[in-house]
Amino acid sequence: MRFDVACTPAPLTAFPSGPGELWFEVGFGGGEHALALAGANPGIGLIACEVFEQGLCSLLARLVPEGGEAETPLPGNLRLWDDDARDLLRHMPDASVSRLFLMFPDPWPKSRHAKRRFVHPALLPELARVVKPGGIWRIASDDPTYQAWVGEVLAGQSLFDVPPPAATRPEGWPPTRYEAKALAAGRAPLYWEVTRRG
């Protein structure tokens, strides 16, 4: 169920389900958000990216219970990418992604690590190329440093329409374990839903 890089020129061909549009999640963590998206939206193809083995194992354990490997059908509308999401996005065709998700990413809080943040001025033109006009990019973070960074980066660009972030998870956004941890610790997440300009 790994995304076949040979399908990059026509990424929907990687899905036997014949989806009508492509969604893309960056850093799926434990996988609960990706699985909820795939389950609630059978007509889409979702590429879910995660570089950490623990996250990949967590998602696969949810999909395939121990001892049920032979009988468990895998979702036809879900493909995994176990490498840097940015590298894969750079190979995607123009205007190929309808929805992009970045849920509670590593904030890389030290200023010398800012270049590693997915929300970055240098990456925005590439994201704007890949996300189709009218496409949605959802971002959530509970880290005050990252929240300020996202606000600053999005305020300094003209490729996406950026309404103010929501202070509570909007309807239709599946919860994540990172959100639950943040709320339990008293941190206040923010939720952005930005739209690619035409």
Side-chain angles (χ1 to χ4, degrees):
M1 72 181 301
R2 187 178 195 267
F3 179 77
D4 184 352
V5 73
C7 295
T8 305
L12 291 177
T13 62
F15 301 91
S17 58
E21 57 185 85
L22 182 65
W23 293 7
F24 198 102
E25 181 167 5
V26 177
F28 61 70
E32 60 277 355
H33 183 266
L35 291 177
L37 288 178
N41 301 277
I44 61 97
L46 174 63
I47 299 174
C49 305
E50 180 56 66
V51 296
F52 294 110
E53 186 175 319
Q54 183 176 352
L56 290 161
C57 291
S58 177
L59 183 145
L60 291 171
R62 292 171 189 266
L63 282 173
V64 184
E66 189 172 345
E69 294 83 356
E71 300 84 28
T72 306
L74 299 176
N77 66 338
L78 177 63
R79 291 291 174 267
L80 304 182
W81 181 253
D82 58 352
D83 210 332
D84 194 323
R86 293 168 292 195
D87 292 340
L88 183 56
L89 282 167
R90 288 185 182 103
H91 290 89
M92 287 288 161
D94 293 357
S96 56
V97 173
S98 297
R99 292 199 180 190
L100 180 64
F101 303 91
L102 181 69
M103 301 288 107
F104 299 92
D106 187 329
W108 294 106
K110 296 180 181 176
S111 57
R112 71 176 184 268
H113 293 153
K115 63 181 184 233
R116 299 183 182 183
R117 296 173 183 159
F118 188 82
V119 178
H120 195 281
L123 188 60
L124 287 183
E126 191 64 34
L127 299 180
R129 180 190 68 78
V130 172
V131 176
K132 61 177 55 178
I136 300 294
W137 180 16
R138 291 179 175 177
I139 306 163
S141 177
D142 64 295
D143 182 86
T145 301
Y146 203 82
Q147 291 171 346
W149 171 266
V150 170
E152 180 181 331
V153 170
L154 293 181
Q157 56 81 48
S158 59
L159 301 166
F160 295 88
D161 287 322
V162 186
T168 56
R169 179 165 35 88
E171 186 176 345
W173 288 45
T176 76
R177 64 178 174 161
Y178 296 105
E179 177 193 56
K181 284 182 181 180
L183 294 172
R187 295 189 298 273
L190 290 178
Y191 307 84
W192 286 264
E193 182 164 290
V194 306
T195 305
R196 174 70 172 101
R197 291 180 173 167

